[in-house]
Amino acid sequence: SPLHGLPDRPDRYRRVGVERDDVVGDDPIGWDHLDDLPLLDRVIDETLRQHPPVHSLPRATPRDVAFGDHVVPERSEVRVGAHANHHDDRLWDDPDAFEPERWQQQRTNQRPRFAYFPFGGGPRHCIGKHLAKLEAQLILARTASRYTLDSPRSERLEFRPSLTMHPKDGMPMTVHER
């Protein structure tokens, strides 16, 4: 959820709403506004990094692949761990911290190509990734412009992986009109 990481950081959540209000005003948010909402985009990318929709992706090896002394035979199914990769401290500074600032262009250009792949990568990425991100942008922009959210949770969310990731105990929140 793009809202995870924001209710316990009211300053960032408020800034998303202010950014939206500055760009869109009282008009309904539209497609043409999204390029002018960089904080909104960074918050969503950071949320997808911390909590990719699918924790690991199945792939088949096209040929034998050697890892040290171990060989994975051709046509074996392997799992590529998006969640593990997105939390690898060799790829990310302070990987457990929620830092939308890590998505500023100069920092993004320094990362390896597949350090971030919430929707898979290469020719087999999720066909719905653009629609999913668009929906997240529109929903978060609309929500942040109209409501404040308070989370009663003081501890970090725990997730239960299935095909997709789900909060183990839900995400209860109190909603207030702005």
Side-chain angles (χ1 to χ4, degrees):
S1 163
L3 297 177
H4 174 69
L6 286 179
D8 57 338
R9 293 165 180 85
D11 59 318
R12 285 193 177 126
Y13 183 74
R14 187 179 62 255
R15 286 190 349 230
V16 168
V18 167
E19 177 186 70
R20 186 256 182 228
D21 292 347
D22 287 349
V23 170
V24 179
D26 293 331
D27 296 333
I29 187 164
W31 180 275
D32 54 326
H33 296 117
L34 296 179
D35 286 341
D36 298 323
L37 298 169
L39 177 60
L40 174 79
D41 197 46
R42 291 177 189 148
V43 163
I44 291 169
D45 283 339
E46 180 64 356
T47 301
L48 290 170
R49 183 195 66 82
Q50 282 200 331
H51 307 291
V54 178
H55 62 88
S56 65
L57 305 159
R59 293 293 184 260
T61 56
R63 61 188 169 286
D64 291 354
V65 179
F67 290 100
D69 294 335
H70 183 74
V71 175
V72 178
E74 177 182 4
R75 291 190 299 265
S76 294
E77 182 178 301
V78 295
R79 305 288 297 185
V80 180
H83 188 270
N85 206 61
H86 292 178
H87 289 83
D88 188 329
D89 61 9
R90 294 172 297 179
L91 300 169
W92 303 95
D93 294 331
D94 197 7
D96 293 331
F98 184 83
E99 293 181 16
E101 298 78 20
R102 73 174 84 234
W103 295 99
Q104 293 170 334
Q105 191 65 42
Q106 66 274 20
R107 292 178 71 183
T108 302
N109 291 340
Q110 297 170 356
R111 280 192 285 280
R113 180 175 175 205
F114 289 109
Y116 174 72
F117 54 96
F119 298 104
R124 290 179 178 68
H125 68 267
C126 175
I127 193 170
K129 77 178 191 174
H130 298 294
L131 177 60
K133 186 146 182 204
L134 174 64
E135 287 176 326
Q137 289 170 313
L138 295 173
I139 290 167
L140 179 55
R142 174 90 173 166
T143 302
S145 72
R146 297 186 62 193
Y147 306 102
T148 58
L149 305 173
D150 293 315
S151 174
R153 301 180 75 92
S154 57
E155 71 281 352
R156 232 177 128 80
L157 280 175
E158 289 185 44
F159 286 81
R160 62 177 174 82
S162 58
L163 177 59
T164 57
M165 299 289 281
H166 304 279
K168 183 178 173 188
D169 299 315
M171 286 182 55
M173 290 188 201
T174 305
V175 179
H176 306 277
E177 286 197 45
R178 275 180 62 190

